[in-house]
Amino acid sequence: MKFIFGAVALCSIISAPVFAQSQAQQDRIDRVAQLAVTAPMCQRLGMTVDPEIGTKVEAAFQAETATWQVAPAIVDALKLASLRRQNAMLRVDLDTASSNARTDEQLRGLRAIVMGYGRTCMEAIYDPIFSQVITAPAGYDLNSAVTAFSDSMLEAGGLASWQTPEIQARGDMMMLAGTCRAQIGAARSDALVGQFGQTDDPRVRGYYRRSFDEGLADTELNFTLAQCNRAITNQRKDIAAAGRSLP
């Protein structure tokens, strides 16, 4: 039975509870399942994952467990249970950190969780089975890879590592330029974009453009001209204050 990444398809092999012959065997089953489930994350973190990883890992795992003197059906049942557990753990970890977090501290905790999975990936490249299917490119830097991956998930909330207070404040101004375009007019809206939304950094430029687009698409605020003027004036002050606070 092949390892299945993502959502694991489970079937009942035997109805009675099953157990490995030893704790070491159970630990090895759990470890292989953990590495199998983590493999897609390793790929997203910039590692090279063999496209035939499922077939190759299954063959190697069967060869390894053939010496255990444990019935193959029991090994399969334990493997499937462990895969289900590892998938659930990964889903809960990431969903809790990214989707359910409500504070800056909780959102930034996502990086710590991703780093934990990144360390597992680094361990995989030395595992007897997974070292054959997961490799790190020359000069690979786990810290940089984790930062880039975490930033991609935190950017929308303004919490990416590169999003300084000034960048966040300018992004808010871009949102106002879009939200208030109908009230302040195209010329003034464009002027705000020209003054506060220009940068040579493609990441920041993309953030500004997305902020403007989000404001432009917002049909619920319905600001009056007076409200837009106050908001823009206050945002100019926030940008100036953020710029002064930079080291």
Side-chain angles (χ1 to χ4, degrees):
M1 185 173 296
K2 292 182 173 59
F3 286 97
I4 301 172
F5 300 114
V8 178
L10 297 173
C11 62
S12 176
I13 295 178
I14 53 179
S15 58
V18 293
F19 306 96
Q21 189 176 36
S22 68
Q23 183 63 54
Q25 290 171 348
Q26 181 65 65
D27 290 346
R28 180 55 178 161
I29 291 170
D30 290 341
R31 182 59 164 169
V32 170
Q34 178 191 32
L35 297 179
V37 168
T38 306
M41 177 69 77
C42 301
Q43 190 167 32
R44 296 193 67 178
L45 289 174
M47 293 186 174
T48 301
V49 177
D50 191 314
E52 300 296 324
I53 183 172
T55 300
K56 292 180 179 180
V57 166
E58 182 62 23
F61 184 66
Q62 287 183 356
E64 181 177 325
T65 59
T67 64
W68 285 7
Q69 297 181 341
V70 178
I74 292 178
V75 173
D76 279 345
L78 291 169
K79 177 188 68 180
L80 286 170
S82 191
L83 281 167
R84 176 178 57 186
R85 187 179 313 112
Q86 293 295 332
N87 265 283
M89 289 165 60
L90 176 65
R91 183 177 62 254
V92 168
D93 286 352
L94 294 182
D95 283 354
T96 299
S98 60
S99 300
N100 299 331
R102 292 294 180 267
T103 67
D104 288 5
E105 182 180 0
Q106 289 171 323
L107 284 167
R108 293 188 191 280
L110 172 66
R111 190 183 188 284
I113 291 174
V114 175
M115 177 60 79
Y117 282 99
R119 293 193 182 102
T120 299
C121 293
M122 293 301 292
E123 294 166 1
I125 65 178
Y126 298 104
D127 181 86
I129 291 178
F130 286 86
S131 61
Q132 307 303 309
V133 292
I134 299 178
T135 57
Y140 182 79
D141 185 339
L142 177 62
N143 188 65
S144 297
V146 169
T147 296
F149 179 82
S150 301
D151 281 351
S152 70
M153 301 184 71
L154 295 173
E155 178 182 340
L159 297 172
S161 62
W162 50 266
Q163 288 173 313
T164 65
E166 183 177 10
I167 289 174
Q168 293 177 27
R170 285 173 176 262
D172 289 344
M173 180 65 90
M174 291 303 94
M175 190 172 295
L176 279 174
T179 299
C180 291
R181 189 176 181 87
Q183 287 73 32
I184 65 177
R188 190 175 171 199
S189 174
D190 291 344
L192 289 173
V193 173
Q195 182 178 1
F196 297 107
Q198 305 301 303
T199 176
D200 290 329
D201 188 326
R203 297 176 306 179
V204 180
R205 188 164 58 249
Y207 172 61
Y208 290 161
R209 289 180 180 276
R210 286 190 292 275
S211 297
F212 177 82
D213 291 344
E214 185 176 342
L216 197 63
D218 192 336
T219 59
E220 296 182 0
L221 286 179
N222 294 318
F223 281 173
T224 64
L225 177 59
Q227 289 174 320
C228 283
N229 285 335
R230 283 196 298 272
I232 291 170
T233 297
N234 290 334
Q235 199 58 40
R236 286 181 182 274
K237 295 177 182 178
D238 288 346
I239 293 171
R244 287 194 298 270
S245 68
L246 293 177

